[in-house]
Structures are given as C-alpha cells and as structure tokens.
Amino acid sequence: MTDVYDVTTVIGRDEVLAGRLYRTRTAGSFEYDSGYLRRRDAFALAPALALFPGAQPLLPANPFSDSAPDTWGRKVQNRAAGRRLDELTLMLGVNDEGRQGATRFWTDGVAVTAGDGVPVEAELADIIHVADQIERGETAIDDVAVRRLFRATGSLGGARPKANVRIGAHLWLAKFPKPVGDDWNVIAWEAAMLDAMATVGIDTPAHTSKRVIVDGSERTVLFLRRFDRTEDDVRVPYISAMTALEAVDGDGGDWVDLVDFARLAGADSAELWRRAVFGALVGNLDDHLRNHGFLRRGPAWKLAPAFDVNPEPLDDGHAHQLALFGTGELELASFTTKDALGLFGVKPAGADAYIRRLRPVMATLPAAAAAHGADAFSVSVMSSRVESALAAIS
Ligand SMILES: Nc1ncnc2c1ncn2[C@@H]1O[C@H](COP(=O)(O)OP(=O)(O)OP(=O)(O)O)[C@@H](O)[C@H]1O
Ligand SMILES: [Mg+2]
C-alpha cells in the first residue's frame, strides 16, 4: 500500500503546495507538483531535490531530514511508541506545530502530525522531570508524560534534551541540562557564548536563561526564540548545512564547501568567517554540519542565526568537526592566513578590526557564564581556554 502526503512550503508569507510524498512500507519518494514547478519563485526544498518533474527517492539519505527528529527526538519518539521506528515514520510522527522550517506534510487537508499544542513555560519543570527520566534510561515512566514530551520535542535536532515552548505568541526552544553527563554548567556557557557573539555583531537568536526548580534542585535552562518563525508566526524555510551540502550525519565537512554554498546561495561569507574565528577561539569543537543552517529569504538562502556554540576546556585541544582546507586542527591563525581570508572574502583590515572587538568580550566571558548560573567549578573549568583565547588576540 502507498500512503500519499501533500508537502507544502512557504513562499513569501503564503503556504503553497510543493509536491507529494509517496510512501510504501519500505521506501519513499517525492514528486514536485506541476503547478509549483511552473512558479517563477519556486525553490528546491533541498539541493538534493532538484526542480524537475517525476519521482525522486527519499532514501537512503532523506533530503527532508531537517524535518525529522535527531538523536534526542528519536529517543523520545521511540520511547513513546515502545519500539524503534523507521526514518519516515519518525519524520511524519513529529508534532506539526514545532516542525523545523516551513516544510509540512498533510493528509486530507490535515497536518501530519497535528498534536494538541506545545507546552507553555509553566509546564517546563514537569517536562524536564520526564526528560531526566528518559536520559537516565528509567523504565517506569508515565506514558502520558512521555507523549507530552514527545509532542514538545518536535523535529528539533541535536542530542541534548530540549523542547519547544510557547511563550506568549511565540515559539521558543528550551535546552535543558542533562541529568547525567554534563561535567560543568554547559547551558550557562552556551548562554554566555550567545551574549558574546551578539556583542561582536554575530547574528544570534533572541535568548535568555532561567533557573527552573526541578525535583527540588535548581537547573539552568536556555530559551532560544525560534528563528524559523516570523514575528507573527509564519514559518520560514530552513535547511541545515548538512542538507545544503547533501551530506549525511557523521560526514564531517569543510568550511570550503560551506562558504561555497553560502556564496552561491546568496549568504554572507564574511559572517561565516566571524563565526569561525569566534568558534576557534572558544574551542567550539562540535561545529558539525547540523550546527549551521540557512533560512529562505526571498530568492536566497541566508545564514540562520548562530546556534549551538559551546566552549570546551583547553585540554580537549583544537580538533574541530568542521575542517578548513582539509585540516581539523584549527586555531585563530588558521583563519587569518591569506588563503583563508581570500576564501571567506574578508579584507585584512576588516579582520584586524573584528579581532580588536573580540578582546574585551573574551575577557568578560567568565563573568557572563557566572551571571547565567555557572558555579565556581564550571567557570574555572574554562579558564585555560579563555586565557588562551586572550593570548591569541592580544
Ligand atoms: N533558535 C532556533 N530556532 C530554530 N531552530 C533552532 C534554533 N536553535 C537550534 N535550532 C535547531 O535545533 C537543532 C538542535 O539545536 P542545538 O544544535 O542547539 O542542540 P544540541 O542538542 O545541543 O545539538 P548537538 O547534538 O549538535 O550538540 C539545531 O540543529 C537546529 O536545527
Ligand atoms: Mg546541535
């Protein structure tokens, strides 16, 4: 039996039919709608789905994987189902309200999967309580609570526990500390990174951190305004750099390819350089392709705001997931060579000016992390990294 789903996206502010997804028990394919193909403003939903008629396969590398859950979302959805689900079931099972980007799936005019909303802030302590239970691998968890968490998790990728939350009229993403496995206050440091990046002019989503009491203990939660929703909640198409480069999880990647795509797509490659330099200084080693993304703006794919930038202690070294010219061992000096500046289209004077702006900001990082709730140990664990950054730019 073949199931058929309408697939829509957003052009401008309008939700439009882009095509149809056909799904059998073991395979899936996508076909653009002829009306969509005739539009002059039609865009490929993913580079792997070029704008031509006829069926295009969705497996083994799903071009819609940004609409599917990642590590954390899979964990919760499999848990709610009580078994391991296949890729397309996971993708279609995501709560429509929180789905990443603008791609939506429909049957008979009803969005798949229409849930009954995402939680509000007041429910967060309960949600984190259940997220903790899942992270700890507990077996006796209330079924209804798991389903609620699953609705909240949506298609947001990443391994860290998280949930969508509606605050007022807007959709936000809440990132939680792990109950086990966080060796320091990772969330406070991530919040400090966002503050610092915003100060030096890197585009960041609106964000705030809050202390939430869960089971009697205080936890730092990071709230990020969803950048794939407009002020009035219109969906904005999103592709991760992984989708943009037609890569799959674990493929690694190189700034060269990312800059190449950005240039062709109409995005700002100098902003990528500023992010790369910031990431090299703070030791943002986990800068894999899913941690960069693009939002559709008119006829271009523009850079999504920076996200998931996390420092690591200096002892962890300089080996980044995203290489530059084939090498993953990256420091500030790697990005200031003539070749690197040429690649990103940054002039030496502009590079110097940016690095000067970074100095005072790097110096305030420990205080910023503390202000977001990092305890003395969490602050000190990053001292050597901060000192090394300061030495590199002094
Ligand atoms: N402000 C935002 N608005 C919309 N989507 C976002 C936002 N921040 C992150 N995302 C999406 O959610 C995904 C997960 O977020 P994030 O990368 O911060 O989580 P993580 O669990 O720390 O990831 P990782 O496994 O890389 O450590 C991102 O890959 C991105 O697609
Ligand atoms: Mg991530």
Side-chain angles (χ1 to χ4, degrees):
M1 203 188 91
T2 308
D3 294 327
V4 185
Y5 300 88
D6 285 336
V7 180
T8 59
T9 187
V10 171
I11 296 186
R13 300 178 49 83
D14 301 329
E15 199 143 67
V16 300
L17 177 69
R20 268 162 221 94
L21 188 149
Y22 300 93
R23 190 203 168 180
T24 61
R25 208 166 52 79
T26 52
S29 62
F30 172 76
E31 184 170 17
Y32 281 110
D33 179 69
S34 57
Y36 185 78
L37 289 174
R38 277 196 298 275
R39 290 183 72 120
R40 292 177 58 183
D41 51 4
F43 62 91
L45 298 185
L49 292 173
L51 288 172
F52 55 71
Q56 310 188 40
L58 291 183
L59 299 169
N62 178 11
F64 291 123
S65 69
D66 295 322
S67 302
D70 193 13
T71 320
W72 168 248
R74 275 163 207 266
K75 205 184 269 187
V76 178
Q77 215 182 124
N78 284 332
R79 180 78 202 224
R83 65 198 163 91
R84 273 185 67 127
L85 302 168
D86 65 87
E87 170 72 18
L88 291 182
T89 304
L90 285 162
M91 178 176 93
L92 294 164
V94 160
N95 182 5
D96 173 72
E97 189 174 345
R99 229 178 239 293
Q100 181 98 59
T103 305
R104 298 175 82 182
F105 305 94
W106 307 77
T107 49
D108 302 326
V110 179
V112 180
T113 297
D116 42 6
V118 295
V120 294
E121 204 181 334
E123 296 170 279
L124 262 189
D126 287 348
I127 296 267
I128 295 173
H129 171 81
V130 185
D132 283 358
Q133 290 181 302
I134 290 184
E135 269 297 279
R136 290 200 206 98
E138 286 178 22
T139 44
I141 314 180
D142 176 41
D143 230 34
V144 176
V146 176
R147 297 196 154 272
R148 193 169 49 167
L149 175 62
F150 151 56
R151 279 200 308 277
T153 297
S155 56
L156 293 170
R160 175 163 292 283
K162 59 178 75 61
N164 288 297
V165 191
R166 199 161 274 286
I167 303 178
H170 297 130
L171 201 55
W172 291 67
L173 157 62
K175 289 184 77 172
F176 311 144
K178 290 184 186 163
V180 281
D182 276 352
D183 294 334
W184 57 86
N185 191 332
V186 176
I187 296 287
W189 272 107
E190 185 172 345
M193 294 295 112
L194 287 160
D195 292 348
M197 288 191 288
T199 307
V200 296
I202 293 174
D203 185 19
T204 49
H207 64 275
T208 179
S209 70
K210 288 192 184 165
R211 324 280 163 88
V212 177
I213 306 291
V214 184
D215 300 326
S217 66
E218 190 180 89
R219 313 278 287 275
T220 309
V221 176
L222 175 62
F223 292 83
L224 298 150
R225 175 82 178 269
R226 286 279 300 266
F227 50 60
D228 53 349
R229 300 289 186 270
T230 63
E231 195 55 43
D232 50 354
D233 221 19
V234 176
R235 297 173 192 234
V236 184
Y238 172 86
I239 52 171
S240 64
M242 193 178 84
T243 299
L245 299 181
E246 301 181 40
V248 292
D249 269 320
D251 259 359
D254 199 299
W255 283 101
V256 172
D257 302 314
L258 195 50
V259 172
D260 217 37
F261 177 87
R263 278 247 173 74
L264 285 170
D268 181 358
S269 60
E271 163 88 359
L272 275 180
W273 181 83
R274 289 191 288 275
R275 295 183 190 185
V277 165
F278 187 93
L281 285 170
V282 299
N284 178 38
L285 307 179
D286 195 28
D287 50 0
H288 55 80
L289 291 173
R290 269 192 197 259
N291 281 339
H292 305 267
F294 297 88
L295 293 168
R296 189 81 193 172
R297 305 265 184 226
W301 286 108
K302 299 285 189 194
L303 285 182
F307 59 90
D308 208 11
V309 174
N310 295 283
E312 291 200 31
L314 193 61
D315 284 353
D316 291 351
H318 302 279
H320 287 254
Q321 295 273 331
L322 198 56
L324 176 67
F325 300 131
T327 168
E329 285 290 322
L330 299 172
E331 298 187 54
L332 172 64
S334 321
F335 291 95
T336 52
T337 63
K338 201 162 164 262
D339 283 350
L341 293 179
L343 169 72
F344 287 92
V346 174
K347 298 209 170 68
D352 288 346
Y354 175 69
I355 290 166
R356 271 199 304 278
R357 271 181 90 179
L358 283 169
R359 274 182 213 145
V361 178
M362 288 288 156
T364 58
L365 283 179
H372 282 292
D375 57 8
F377 170 75
S378 298
V379 172
S380 72
V381 98
M382 227 55 81
S383 316
S384 53
R385 181 66 79 179
V386 173
E387 273 154 30
S388 124
L390 286 169
I393 55 184
S394 61

